Amino acid sequence: MKSLQDLRIVFMGTPEFAVASLQALVNAGCTIVGVITAPDKPAGRGMKLTQSAVKKYAEEQGLHILQPEKLKNPDFITSLQALQADVQVVVAFRMLPEIVWSMPPMGTINVHGSLLPQYRGAAPINWAVINGEPFTGVTTFKLQHAIDTGNILLQDTIAIDADTTAGELHDTMKETGAALLVKTLTQLAAGIVTELNQSSIVNEAVLRHAPKIFTDTCRISWEQPASQIHNLIRGLSPYPGAFCLLNDKMLKIFRSKKEIVAHGLTPGTPQTDGKNFLKFACTDGFIQVLEMQLEGKKRMQTEEFLRGYRFA
C-alpha cells in the first residue's frame, strides 16, 4: 500500500484538455517523473515552432519533458524505462504501442470522455451531444490492446443540457476528469480500486461509437428534423463547426434555436427580417441561427451579420 504522493508517475498528453489533469496531479503533490508530449510543430502564418499546451505547463512547473517523434524509438524506450514509473497516465494523447503501455508495474491509466463502454473512439464529447444524450461522463481505465476496451476503474456522470455545446461540455469534462484521475490514482496506490472488465457489461447491439469527425459529418441536411439539426450544430461547436451553403458560400453555424412549427417551405429555405433573425426551414419547423461565420468573414451574432449582408 502506498500514498498518492509515493507513486512515480509519467504523464502523457498534448492539448489544453490534458493540462487540467496534469495540473491536478501537481496540485495533489504527486511525483511526476516525466511528461511525454508531442514535438513542437510549425503553426500560424509565420510557421513558427509552437509548443503543445502540456509542454508549456510542464516547463512552467520545471518537469522533465520528452517529445518523441516515434513512440517505438529505442532511445525513447530506454529513456522511458529509466524513469522507473509505477504508473503512466494518458490524457488526450496518441495511441501507445504495447511496449509503452505495458511498461509500468501498475499499468497505464487513460482518462476518456465518456461513460465506457459507450462512445469508444476519437470524438466522444462531440458524438454524445450530436446524438442528443441527456448525460455523459468520464471514465478512467487501464489500457490494453484494443482501443478504449480496458478494465474500467472509476466513472463520473455529467449532465448535458438541451443547448450545451461540445465546447462547453469539453470545459466541464476536463475539470471532472482531472478530479476523477486524482481519485483513481489515490485508490490505486492504496490498493482499494476495483477493476471492471468491459466485456461483462457490453451489449454490442446498443453500443454507440465516437469515430473521427469528417467534413461530411459537419454538413447540415435541412431535410432532417429540427432537434437533430440543433444537436448537430451544438455537437460541432466551436470546432469544426456544422455548415450549410448560403448563396454558394459556406456558412458555419455555432449556436442555434429550434422552432417546431408547421410550414409549407422547402427545407433549407432561409427566412429573415433583415435585422434581427435568420432561420432556415427544416422538415418540422425552423432552425434559428444565433451565431455564425460566413466564409471569409469573422464569427458573429445574427444581428451583426444582418447589418452587413444583403440577401439576393
Side-chain angles (χ1 to χ4, degrees), residues 220-226 229 243-249 251 253 263-272 278-289 309 311:
I220 297 170
S221 171
W222 297 113
E223 285 75 20
Q224 301 292 337
I229 297 171
F243 72 90
C244 64
L245 293 181
L246 182 63
N247 292 334
D248 296 324
K249 286 194 172 183
L251 180 73
I253 304 174
H263 62 76
L265 297 172
T266 301
T269 301
Q271 296 279 286
T272 182
L278 170 62
K279 59 186 181 181
F280 291 88
C282 53
T283 56
D284 60 351
F286 294 92
I287 288 293
Q288 187 170 337
V289 181
Y309 188 82
F311 285 83

XYZ file of all heavy atoms in Angstrom, residues 220-226 229 243-249 251 253 263-272 278-289 309 311:
326
model
N -24.852 20.197 -42.866
C -26.238 20.198 -42.400
C -27.174 19.751 -43.523
O -27.108 20.252 -44.642
C -26.659 21.599 -41.917
C -25.821 22.035 -40.714
C -28.144 21.627 -41.561
C -26.007 23.488 -40.319
N -28.044 18.810 -43.196
C -29.100 18.393 -44.122
C -30.416 18.956 -43.583
O -30.905 18.514 -42.538
C -29.168 16.868 -44.209
O -30.312 16.469 -44.934
N -30.972 19.921 -44.303
C -32.192 20.574 -43.828
C -33.410 19.661 -43.939
O -34.490 20.008 -43.447
C -32.424 21.865 -44.604
C -31.335 22.879 -44.393
C -30.438 23.335 -45.313
C -31.005 23.547 -43.169
N -29.577 24.249 -44.738
C -29.904 24.404 -43.418
C -31.542 23.523 -41.872
C -29.321 25.208 -42.440
C -30.968 24.316 -40.893
C -29.877 25.152 -41.173
N -33.231 18.491 -44.555
C -34.335 17.525 -44.625
C -34.508 16.762 -43.309
O -35.440 15.967 -43.167
C -34.098 16.521 -45.764
C -34.332 17.078 -47.162
C -33.210 17.988 -47.631
O -32.097 17.900 -47.060
O -33.434 18.790 -48.556
N -33.611 17.013 -42.351
C -33.698 16.358 -41.042
C -34.619 17.155 -40.104
O -34.879 18.344 -40.328
C -32.302 16.259 -40.416
C -31.291 15.492 -41.246
C -31.626 14.017 -41.330
O -32.321 13.465 -40.480
N -31.146 13.373 -42.390
N -35.104 16.528 -39.036
C -35.911 17.245 -38.040
C -35.085 18.325 -37.326
O -33.863 18.233 -37.226
C -36.331 16.143 -37.055
C -36.155 14.865 -37.807
C -35.016 15.087 -38.748
N -35.763 19.339 -36.796
C -35.098 20.464 -36.142
C -34.231 20.016 -34.971
O -33.116 20.527 -34.785
C -36.143 21.477 -35.671
N -30.913 18.561 -36.202
C -30.019 19.591 -36.735
C -29.441 20.436 -35.604
O -28.244 20.753 -35.595
C -30.771 20.483 -37.743
C -31.226 19.650 -38.944
C -29.877 21.637 -38.210
C -32.167 20.395 -39.883
N -22.069 23.175 -41.000
C -22.172 24.200 -42.042
C -23.244 23.871 -43.074
O -23.658 22.726 -43.248
C -20.831 24.385 -42.748
C -20.441 23.238 -43.655
C -20.811 23.231 -45.000
C -19.713 22.157 -43.170
C -20.466 22.172 -45.832
C -19.364 21.092 -44.002
C -19.745 21.105 -45.334
N -23.673 24.932 -43.771
C -24.526 24.820 -44.939
C -24.008 25.816 -45.965
O -22.985 26.477 -45.725
C -25.987 25.105 -44.581
S -26.273 26.798 -44.016
N -24.674 25.932 -47.086
C -24.299 26.927 -48.091
C -25.330 28.042 -48.115
O -26.538 27.796 -48.053
C -24.195 26.280 -49.474
C -23.066 25.272 -49.678
C -23.106 24.740 -51.112
C -21.704 25.884 -49.377
N -24.853 29.266 -48.190
C -25.704 30.437 -48.328
C -25.192 31.224 -49.525
O -24.084 31.780 -49.483
C -25.662 31.292 -47.054
C -26.555 32.533 -47.057
C -28.034 32.134 -47.169
C -26.324 33.365 -45.796
N -25.981 31.238 -50.608
C -25.541 31.880 -51.857
C -24.155 31.388 -52.278
O -23.254 32.179 -52.581
C -25.551 33.403 -51.720
C -26.972 33.938 -51.603
O -27.931 33.324 -52.079
N -27.121 35.078 -50.945
N -23.994 30.078 -52.250
C -22.777 29.389 -52.701
C -21.560 29.637 -51.818
O -20.437 29.320 -52.205
C -22.435 29.775 -54.150
C -23.513 29.332 -55.124
O -24.088 28.240 -54.905
O -23.784 30.071 -56.078
N -21.748 30.182 -50.621
C -20.645 30.346 -49.672
C -20.920 29.526 -48.417
O -22.078 29.384 -47.995
C -20.456 31.826 -49.305
C -19.811 32.651 -50.404
C -19.340 34.000 -49.861
C -18.529 34.748 -50.903
N -18.010 36.039 -50.370
N -21.490 28.649 -44.780
C -21.952 29.328 -43.571
C -21.851 28.345 -42.412
O -22.589 27.360 -42.374
C -23.394 29.802 -43.728
C -23.973 30.533 -42.511
C -23.370 31.920 -42.382
C -25.502 30.613 -42.600
N -22.470 27.430 -38.566
C -23.418 27.820 -37.521
C -22.924 27.249 -36.191
O -22.703 26.052 -36.075
C -24.835 27.317 -37.833
C -25.290 27.829 -39.209
C -25.818 27.766 -36.751
C -26.629 27.272 -39.659
N -45.137 24.308 -41.672
C -44.956 25.307 -42.733
C -44.952 24.576 -44.075
O -44.862 23.351 -44.133
C -43.649 26.081 -42.542
C -42.422 25.238 -42.605
N -41.894 24.755 -43.781
C -41.604 24.763 -41.617
C -40.814 24.045 -43.531
N -40.621 24.012 -42.222
N -45.016 25.340 -45.144
C -45.029 24.729 -46.463
C -43.786 25.016 -47.265
O -43.782 24.847 -48.497
N -42.711 25.420 -46.610
C -41.479 25.803 -47.299
C -40.600 24.594 -47.606
O -40.632 23.585 -46.906
C -40.683 26.794 -46.442
C -41.365 28.136 -46.148
C -40.545 28.933 -45.133
C -41.543 28.937 -47.438
N -39.806 24.733 -48.644
C -38.822 23.708 -48.979
C -37.717 23.718 -47.930
O -37.221 24.797 -47.568
C -38.200 23.978 -50.362
O -39.234 23.999 -51.335
C -37.175 22.915 -50.714
N -37.316 22.551 -47.397
C -36.227 22.533 -46.414
C -34.979 23.241 -46.939
O -34.588 23.055 -48.093
C -35.971 21.033 -46.224
C -37.294 20.400 -46.489
C -37.892 21.209 -47.610
N -34.409 24.082 -46.085
C -33.234 24.852 -46.465
C -33.548 26.280 -46.872
O -32.637 27.093 -47.039
N -34.837 26.610 -47.026
C -35.222 27.967 -47.415
C -34.938 28.939 -46.276
O -35.410 28.744 -45.152
C -36.721 28.033 -47.756
O -36.992 27.124 -48.811
C -37.115 29.445 -48.179
N -34.147 30.007 -46.524
C -33.870 30.985 -45.463
C -35.027 31.952 -45.278
O -35.710 32.315 -46.239
C -32.616 31.706 -45.973
C -32.684 31.590 -47.465
C -33.381 30.288 -47.748
N -35.249 32.361 -44.055
C -36.245 33.359 -43.702
C -35.567 34.399 -42.817
O -34.873 34.056 -41.863
C -37.421 32.727 -42.956
C -38.222 31.713 -43.770
C -39.211 32.387 -44.697
O -40.233 32.908 -44.279
N -38.885 32.385 -45.988
N -35.788 35.681 -43.108
C -35.174 36.747 -42.308
C -35.977 38.031 -42.437
O -36.654 38.248 -43.447
C -33.719 37.000 -42.751
O -33.148 38.016 -41.916
C -33.632 37.453 -44.200
N -32.502 35.242 -38.509
C -32.254 34.440 -39.703
C -32.548 33.004 -39.324
O -32.024 32.498 -38.327
C -30.794 34.575 -40.159
C -30.338 33.589 -41.255
C -31.136 33.792 -42.545
C -28.841 33.711 -41.508
N -33.402 32.369 -40.088
C -33.717 30.978 -39.802
C -33.880 30.214 -41.105
O -34.145 30.793 -42.166
C -34.978 30.867 -38.935
C -36.238 31.471 -39.529
C -37.362 31.411 -38.487
C -38.669 31.992 -39.051
N -39.768 31.953 -38.041
N -33.675 28.889 -41.005
C -33.776 28.014 -42.161
C -34.875 26.985 -41.922
O -34.984 26.425 -40.826
C -32.453 27.290 -42.413
C -31.351 28.194 -42.886
C -30.540 28.853 -41.975
C -31.116 28.381 -44.243
C -29.508 29.686 -42.405
C -30.089 29.205 -44.688
C -29.289 29.866 -43.769
N -35.650 26.733 -42.955
C -36.717 25.743 -42.854
C -36.139 24.331 -42.819
O -35.161 24.023 -43.498
C -37.667 25.882 -44.038
N -36.732 23.492 -41.995
C -36.415 22.058 -41.984
C -37.739 21.300 -42.002
O -38.801 21.903 -42.187
C -35.547 21.693 -40.791
S -36.182 22.206 -39.190
N -37.711 20.007 -41.824
C -38.921 19.217 -42.061
C -40.063 19.540 -41.104
O -41.230 19.508 -41.496
C -38.607 17.712 -41.961
O -38.013 17.439 -40.697
C -37.673 17.288 -43.063
N -39.754 19.848 -39.856
C -40.813 20.048 -38.869
C -40.763 21.427 -38.217
O -41.265 21.620 -37.116
C -40.749 18.961 -37.799
C -39.429 18.938 -37.047
O -38.487 19.649 -37.472
O -39.320 18.225 -36.035
N -40.120 22.374 -38.882
C -40.039 23.710 -38.308
C -38.885 24.505 -38.874
O -38.604 24.451 -40.074
N -38.209 25.227 -37.978
C -37.100 26.079 -38.396
C -35.930 25.940 -37.436
O -36.109 25.613 -36.262
C -37.523 27.554 -38.410
C -38.564 27.892 -39.440
C -39.917 27.841 -39.115
C -38.199 28.255 -40.727
C -40.888 28.156 -40.050
C -39.158 28.580 -41.676
C -40.508 28.517 -41.335
N -34.736 26.201 -37.943
C -33.554 26.381 -37.119
C -33.196 27.861 -37.163
O -32.881 28.403 -38.232
C -32.364 25.533 -37.621
C -32.608 24.064 -37.333
C -31.056 25.993 -36.970
C -32.615 23.694 -35.853
N -33.313 28.507 -36.030
C -32.953 29.923 -35.935
C -31.463 30.028 -35.634
O -30.962 29.392 -34.697
C -33.770 30.604 -34.840
C -33.570 32.108 -34.789
C -34.578 32.788 -33.868
O -35.647 32.250 -33.602
N -34.234 33.968 -33.385
N -30.753 30.804 -36.431
C -29.308 30.952 -36.290
C -29.012 32.080 -35.310
O -29.470 33.208 -35.498
C -28.651 31.243 -37.654
C -27.140 31.361 -37.488
C -28.999 30.156 -38.661
N -25.100 42.164 -44.501
C -25.371 41.157 -45.533
C -26.721 41.437 -46.191
O -27.694 41.743 -45.506
C -25.403 39.749 -44.926
C -25.479 38.648 -45.960
C -24.333 38.189 -46.608
C -26.708 38.081 -46.301
C -24.400 37.193 -47.561
C -26.790 37.067 -47.247
C -25.629 36.636 -47.881
O -25.697 35.646 -48.828
N -29.532 39.777 -48.784
C -29.974 38.570 -49.465
C -30.388 38.892 -50.890
O -30.956 39.948 -51.156
C -31.151 37.930 -48.714
C -30.739 37.231 -47.453
C -30.570 37.964 -46.282
C -30.505 35.875 -47.430
C -30.160 37.324 -45.112
C -30.096 35.240 -46.282
C -29.924 35.969 -45.114
